Amino acid sequence: MAASSQSPDGQHARGLKKFRLFSPILAGATFKERLIGCIGALAGISVTGLVCGFLLGNDPYLPLIVAPMGASAVLLFAVPASPLAQPWSIVGGNTISALVGVSVAWLVAEPALAIGLAVSLAILAMSLTRSLHPPGGASALTAVIGGVAVARAGFWFPIVPVAVNSVLLVLIGMLFHRLSGRQYPHRPVPAPVNPHKTADPPPAMRAGFLPQDIDTALMRLNETLDISRDDIHALLREVEMQALLRQKGELLCSDIMSRDVVTARLDTTPQEARALLLEHDIRMLPVLDDEERLIGTVGLRELALGRDPDRLPLSPAATAQPGDPAIGLLPRLTDGRTHAMVVLDGDDRVVGIISQTDLLGTLARSLAQMRGGNHMLGSGQGI
């Protein structure tokens, strides 16, 4: 019998396929994240039930907590970045849907028709109010078939307990996520703007895909994704950067930085700093303290806006480490504000500087090598 020629990696991959049903289907899902979600759900549901029991006095005719809160907790604690898990989605979606369900139950006597109308109209109401929340469908359904307790509560049911449950759950979720180091409510990455206040897109956004390309791709896929358009844009930009780091990540800051750095001291006057900038034809000076440690930077812009003629107007420095991938500086050096990165050692002492020109020269050399060319561009501290 012939020996198998398949690699261990291939066998491992086939073995994993057998268990693909047990693999996370959400990007970024890890066991740690899921465990945090479990603990959050335990805290959220338990505390919501305790508080509602205290406030409502454990009324035997009024549910302590409605069943859709369990589904809301899954979204709130397991996928807190989802648009469907945000505060307005949870509170508005559950409350509005419960109100729709109560209204349908009051108007429609046929149960089979009422349950269908309640869920479908709840989806419509949540869509119109930008509060789409899957457990809202269960809230609408509960309002119709919830039994004597719900019928007795009538139009109070959407407020007590649904809205009260939802608000408490959201407040507990906000506190829990803050304590666990997560961001909630989710804040999409702000859309980049041109720092020069012109109509042109920022430099880094002028090449590659555009926002309208995302819209076209979504239309062609004909899918509704549980992620905002802005988050898709930010994710794809990060994917581009990670791919570039993988391809060119072996080039370090120490390989391309200028080592003979022109610096200023804390006691350097604005006039002396301006003279240094003009003499060396650079746009920024690192400013050092008496122990040779970096305390900030100064450039022509700061000098032009400075009010004290005897003190340097400092700005925070953009810094890197010698062992950082040089390509990783690309987002900062193309943001329209940062003209150079100061390279520091472990003691915050300046060991080099990388300007836009340095990085541009490096990229040009890489492109020339890829195309078989021999030309090279020089580098310098400033542009």
Side-chain angles (χ1 to χ4, degrees), residues 6-237:
Q6 295 179 359
S7 68
D9 288 342
Q11 296 174 356
H12 180 65
R14 286 199 314 279
L16 289 179
K17 287 182 179 179
K18 297 179 181 178
F19 299 97
R20 62 183 179 273
L21 292 178
F22 302 97
S23 300
I25 62 172
L26 296 178
T30 63
F31 178 75
K32 177 183 176 182
E33 288 297 308
R34 290 294 168 260
L35 186 59
I36 292 175
C38 293
I39 297 171
L42 171 64
I45 295 296
S46 299
V47 174
T48 298
L50 287 172
V51 173
C52 286
F54 175 78
L55 294 177
L56 304 178
N58 291 319
D59 186 345
Y61 296 103
L62 192 65
L64 184 70
I65 187 170
V66 289
M69 292 303 112
S72 296
V74 173
L75 290 169
L76 174 59
F77 295 104
V79 283
S82 169
L84 307 178
Q86 301 315 297
W88 171 239
S89 295
I90 294 176
V91 177
N94 281 322
T95 305
I96 292 170
S97 297
L99 180 60
V100 169
V102 171
S103 301
V104 170
W106 186 63
L107 294 171
V108 180
E110 172 57 41
L113 179 59
I115 58 177
L117 281 174
V119 175
S120 62
L121 292 177
I123 294 174
L124 176 61
M126 288 188 289
S127 299
L128 293 175
T129 56
R130 300 179 63 86
S131 62
L132 191 63
H133 186 60
S139 295
L141 203 58
T142 303
V144 176
I145 61 172
V148 177
V150 175
R152 182 173 178 268
F155 281 94
W156 278 105
F157 177 72
I159 307 301
V160 182
V162 175
V164 174
N165 287 171
S166 301
V167 170
L168 283 172
L169 191 64
V170 166
L171 292 176
I172 295 166
M174 294 173 70
L175 177 61
F176 177 82
H177 286 308
R178 175 168 296 184
L179 293 176
S180 62
R182 286 172 159 186
Q183 182 192 82
Y184 185 83
H186 176 64
R187 298 177 183 86
V189 177
V193 296
N194 193 313
H196 305 300
K197 300 179 181 179
T198 63
D200 292 318
M205 303 295 151
R206 295 173 195 168
F209 67 88
L210 299 174
Q212 51 265 39
D213 296 328
I214 297 176
D215 295 333
T216 303
L218 290 173
M219 291 178 62
R220 289 179 62 86
L221 287 174
N222 194 27
E223 294 281 355
T224 299
L225 303 181
D226 187 9
I227 182 173
S228 70
R229 179 176 173 275
D230 291 337
D231 284 342
I232 293 175
H233 189 274
L235 175 62
L236 292 179
R237 289 292 178 187

Side-chain angles (χ1 to χ4, degrees), residues 358-377:
D358 293 318
L359 191 58
L360 178 61
T362 299
L363 293 175
R365 285 193 294 271
S366 297
L367 290 174
Q369 291 169 2
M370 290 173 60
R371 295 175 180 175
N374 297 318
H375 64 282
M376 298 176 69
L377 297 181

